[in-house]
Amino acid sequence: YKGDPAKGKLIVDQVCAACHGADGNSAASANPTLAGQHQKYLYEQLKAFKAGTRKNPTMMGMASPLSDDDMWNVAAYFSQQKVKPREAADKTQMPLGKKVYTAGNFGTKVPACMACHGPAGAGMPDRYPRLTAQHAPYIVKQLNDFKAGADRQNQTMADIASRMSDAEMKAVAEYISGL
Ligand code: HEM
Ligand code: HEM
């Protein structure tokens, strides 16, 4: 891919670091960690915010002034940062969370998340985003956004999220946060 991480860092330091962390490891659980996320995925999300197809008032405002090159540059920078391992906050959610992540729910046709996002949440470049060490509240919000289909549209994830219970969402999000 094109994308100059040094140029990306200039934008990150001025604009994005406040919420996502200077190295892409965010402190606040509403803001996703971007460190180590696949470059093309990051670029596509920024394009979607700018186009208004992924709706979030904050991020639409952040993405709109970015040029196509800026987006590749910040995506290059964040993708090259190391994601810091985290521990799941609520260990009581681990049994159900692990079950959903590694095996899904046969009865309600929820597939194993692991099938696409990988056993350690690494995802797959160009296809599936990394989930490793992502904040649980952010994950729960995304699953609900996919399910509702208004702010974020993706057929695969909408089908999956719409079959999940609130309890499954919360549990799998906690499990993922500790991957
Ligand atoms: C989401 C990049 C600035 C708050 C995202 C995502 C990207 C991104 C790529 C999607 C992540 C994913 O799908 O996993 C950037 C860049 C920024 C920037 C490149 C600087 C130009 C900010 C700032 C804030 C912020 C300053 C806080 C004021 C958020 C929030 C989300 C988000 C809350 C989640 C949105 C949702 O729920 O869909 N950002 N960001 N970002 N960012 Fe930023
Ligand atoms: C995106 C969770 C299963 C394919 C995502 C995101 C989350 C998530 C939280 C958004 C990541 C972010 O915003 O950074 C889960 C969970 C699963 C699951 C909890 C199991 C219950 C799957 C499976 C597939 C898949 C089985 C493949 C068949 C995708 C794709 C995206 C995505 C393609 C990117 C969507 C986009 O571009 O907006 N998933 N996932 N996921 N997932 Fe899953």
Side-chain angles (χ1 to χ4, degrees):
Y1 296 123
K2 50 184 188 172
D4 178 341
K7 285 184 182 158
K9 186 178 190 302
L10 299 175
I11 298 172
V12 170
D13 284 345
Q14 282 187 29
V15 190
C16 328
C19 294
H20 294 286
D23 66 353
N25 285 281
S26 99
S29 64
N31 306 331
T33 275
L34 305 178
Q37 185 55 275
H38 306 302
Q39 187 183 351
K40 183 149 180 276
Y41 171 80
L42 291 171
Y43 168 78
E44 298 284 355
Q45 298 312 306
L46 290 168
K47 266 206 332 190
F49 285 127
K50 184 167 179 169
T53 50
R54 179 171 172 184
K55 296 183 178 63
N56 175 265
T58 304
M59 277 311 303
M60 288 161 90
M62 293 298 153
S64 69
L66 301 181
S67 69
D68 204 64
D69 281 344
D70 291 339
M71 292 186 197
W72 280 116
N73 294 342
V74 293
Y77 174 76
F78 280 128
S79 70
Q80 290 175 20
Q81 305 310 303
K82 284 230 176 345
V83 61
K84 288 200 188 107
R86 298 175 56 246
E87 254 190 62
D90 183 354
K91 298 282 197 309
T92 65
Q93 301 287 337
M94 293 304 101
L96 177 59
K98 183 176 185 180
K99 185 163 174 270
V100 173
Y101 194 81
T102 60
N105 184 334
F106 186 77
T108 53
K109 297 198 171 83
V110 174
C113 318
M114 188 174 86
C116 296
H117 293 285
M124 195 187 280
D126 297 357
R127 299 194 62 164
Y128 307 120
R130 176 197 60 72
L131 301 178
T132 315
Q134 190 54 276
H135 295 288
Y138 169 78
I139 294 174
V140 170
K141 178 180 182 287
Q142 298 314 304
L143 292 173
N144 280 307
D145 284 355
F146 284 128
K147 181 176 180 174
D151 294 346
R152 192 168 183 187
Q153 280 142 16
N154 177 268
Q155 194 61 56
T156 303
M157 282 308 304
D159 285 348
I160 294 169
S162 61
R163 296 195 192 102
M164 295 175 77
S165 67
D166 289 349
E168 286 175 329
M169 288 187 187
K170 189 174 174 358
V172 81
E174 279 294 333
Y175 177 77
I176 289 168
S177 73
L179 279 179

